[in-house]
Amino acid sequence: MKRQTLKTLLTGSALLLCALCVFFTGCGNIVAETTEEKAETSSHSDEDKLTIGLSQVGSESDWRMASTDSVKAAFSSAEGYNLIFDDAQQKQENQLKAIREFIDQGVDYIILDPIVETGWDSVLTEAREAGIPVIVYDRGIEVDDEDLYVCWIGSDFKLEGERACVWLEEFLASRGVNRNINIADLQGTLGASAQIGRSAALEEAVTLNKNWRIIARDSGDFTTAKGKEVMTEMLNKHGRDINVIYAENDNMAYGAIEALEKKGYTAGMDIENGEILVISFDATHNGLELTLDGKIAANTECNPLYGPRLTEIIDTLEKGGSVEKVTYIDEEQFSGISYIGTIQVRNRPYTVTYLTEDLINDRQY
Ligand code: GZL
């Protein structure tokens, strides 16, 4: 029997059974709610739902997709929100346009993940004049008047970079590596606070380690494709002179590893025997799988799960409470080797978690 005919027969029986239930129990209307409809049905009427305008950077990376999933789940209709979500496709002009549309629509709150730090003063002034509070998350902004936004919650990107570099120092010392460390820096989107912080940490580490040099630096825009393209150009120019790749996010690390393996090089930790050591950020699922395999030597987490953090901020504001102007989130660091368990950064210990498959599978993203 064709699958479709069988399905039709089963559906008809199910409806007949429902009709009989209604007849005998006299219960209300048959509301054949699909799972999705059930999910959309909320105890909140539309009027008392908060309308949130959220401007997202884009969909450039695994991290970004996890971030989007988190905010969409937290601000769902079932949770009592009307979410207007805009994907700016990594263009600031799209974010500016979206924010102005949110203002025109009279949303209750604007939430912004700013692709770059600057260029927000005018549009945030318009939001303030419209009486709409702005919450900034993940990446940071630089504005003349800090009162243009209620608060910022995000990562300390320079600390992430310092943790990555101190781990590298510890690793090289543990292996007795004294040769020149020639680093290819795959930068994120230029002007993004994640790029600014991670790049600054590397520059600082190079001044502190006399045998470290940045011999190649270019932006891979946080994407796999651009990371591969830029890494290919770097390898064409520098070849095996490069012995460390500092990828400022996992997707560029994926691209870089593809590029070096295509040239017959090996991503690994045995620098003394020609392997190229890759440092990465984000600690996404695929990034941690590569870290477990040793293709990424150390991966510093940048946690994307902002949904619950943002609803908590809005809940506090709605109750007339006050929130911290600046909140840094706690983050972890991972490696596939077990013998560097703690590092000292900014005069305090930070744990480096030894990765296992179970640990990776237990994570939320
Ligand atoms: C950092 C975040 C960065 C990630 C990238 O918080 O903004 O943007 O590190 C993402 O993966 O594209």
Side-chain angles (χ1 to χ4, degrees):
M1 181 178 286
K2 276 174 53 182
R3 183 184 298 274
Q4 189 52 36
T5 309
L6 176 60
K7 183 177 173 185
T8 304
L9 184 64
L10 288 175
T11 305
S13 307
L15 282 176
L16 176 61
L17 184 60
C18 277
L20 289 171
C21 288
V22 167
F23 179 75
F24 285 114
T25 58
C27 66
N29 298 325
I30 302 175
V31 180
E33 279 190 330
T34 64
T35 308
E36 289 70 30
E37 282 159 353
K38 281 197 184 92
E40 284 307 301
T41 304
S42 158
S43 59
H44 304 266
S45 66
D46 267 346
E47 297 68 50
D48 64 16
K49 286 181 181 175
L50 284 175
T51 299
I52 311 291
L54 193 145
S55 173
Q56 176 62 293
V57 166
S59 50
E60 74 282 2
S61 62
D62 295 5
W63 185 99
R64 186 65 53 198
M65 304 312 282
S67 161
T68 291
D69 290 347
S70 179
V71 295
K72 282 187 173 179
F75 289 106
S76 67
S77 177
E79 293 298 325
Y81 299 92
N82 290 321
L83 176 66
I84 307 171
F85 178 89
D86 180 83
D87 172 342
Q89 295 168 3
Q90 283 201 283
K91 292 182 172 60
Q92 183 175 27
E93 63 264 27
N94 290 346
Q95 291 199 285
L96 298 172
K97 178 171 176 287
I99 292 171
R100 290 190 167 100
E101 286 171 0
F102 296 154
I103 294 169
D104 290 345
Q105 289 164 298
V107 299
D108 295 299
Y109 288 88
I110 290 170
I111 300 179
L112 168 66
D113 187 342
I115 183 167
V116 293
E117 290 194 341
T118 56
W120 306 99
D121 297 76
S122 298
V123 75
L124 296 189
T125 301
E126 293 165 36
R128 179 167 63 181
E129 286 167 354
I132 301 175
V134 175
I135 297 164
V136 183
Y137 79 103
D138 176 29
R139 298 181 188 177
I141 59 174
E142 289 294 331
V143 287
D144 294 337
D145 180 354
E146 296 286 313
D147 289 336
L148 285 174
Y149 61 98
V150 173
C151 62
W152 171 84
I153 180 169
S155 303
D156 183 337
F157 300 112
K158 186 160 181 298
L159 175 62
E160 290 175 354
E162 290 172 40
R163 291 171 72 175
C165 292
V166 168
W167 182 92
L168 182 58
E169 286 172 10
E170 297 285 323
F171 172 77
L172 295 172
S174 73
R175 294 285 182 95
V177 174
N178 296 311
R179 67 173 53 202
N180 280 341
I181 300 300
N182 300 323
I183 301 163
D185 180 11
L186 282 179
Q187 296 181 290
T189 303
L190 296 181
S193 50
Q195 174 272 314
I196 292 168
R198 292 166 190 166
S199 294
L202 179 62
E203 288 160 17
E204 191 175 85
V206 167
T207 64
L208 297 172
N209 293 275
K210 296 309 172 201
N211 62 325
W212 291 21
R213 293 182 299 157
I214 299 173
I215 65 169
R217 169 174 261 188
D218 198 350
S219 173
D221 217 13
F222 286 131
T223 69
T224 301
K226 189 80 165 102
K228 181 176 182 179
E229 178 190 319
V230 166
M231 194 68 241
T232 301
E233 290 163 9
M234 289 175 170
L235 291 169
N236 289 341
K237 184 173 179 183
H238 300 281
R240 289 192 181 279
D241 282 349
I242 295 171
N243 45 29
V244 170
I245 295 169
Y246 184 86
E248 296 183 4
N249 87 322
D250 278 339
N251 288 77
M252 293 189 293
Y254 309 158
I257 291 166
E258 282 177 42
L260 64 88
E261 288 180 343
K262 191 173 180 184
K263 282 186 172 292
Y265 300 168
T266 303
M269 302 167 90
D270 188 1
I271 292 180
E272 297 289 54
N273 291 300
E275 292 187 346
I276 297 179
L277 186 147
V278 179
I279 293 285
S280 188
F281 298 85
D282 284 352
T284 58
H285 183 90
N286 294 340
L288 290 182
E289 291 287 2
L290 287 169
T291 307
L292 185 63
D293 293 344
K295 288 191 175 183
I296 292 175
N299 203 323
T300 305
E301 182 187 43
C302 180
N303 193 295
L305 305 181
Y306 281 100
R309 303 174 196 273
L310 292 167
T311 54
E312 186 181 346
I313 288 170
I314 286 180
D315 190 47
T316 302
L317 295 172
E318 282 294 293
K319 290 172 179 169
S322 59
V323 294
E324 290 294 322
K325 186 73 178 179
V326 173
T327 303
Y328 288 107
I329 64 174
D330 292 331
E331 296 173 322
E332 296 189 72
Q333 190 175 25
F334 302 92
S335 172
I337 59 169
S338 60
Y339 56 85
I340 301 177
T342 304
I343 56 175
Q344 289 292 332
V345 181
R346 296 184 188 174
N347 299 316
R348 60 148 283 190
Y350 284 92
T351 300
V352 181
T353 302
Y354 175 49
L355 267 180
T356 64
E357 193 65 49
D358 286 346
L359 185 148
I360 295 173
N361 292 331
D362 286 346
R363 283 169 62 80
Q364 283 183 273
Y365 71 97

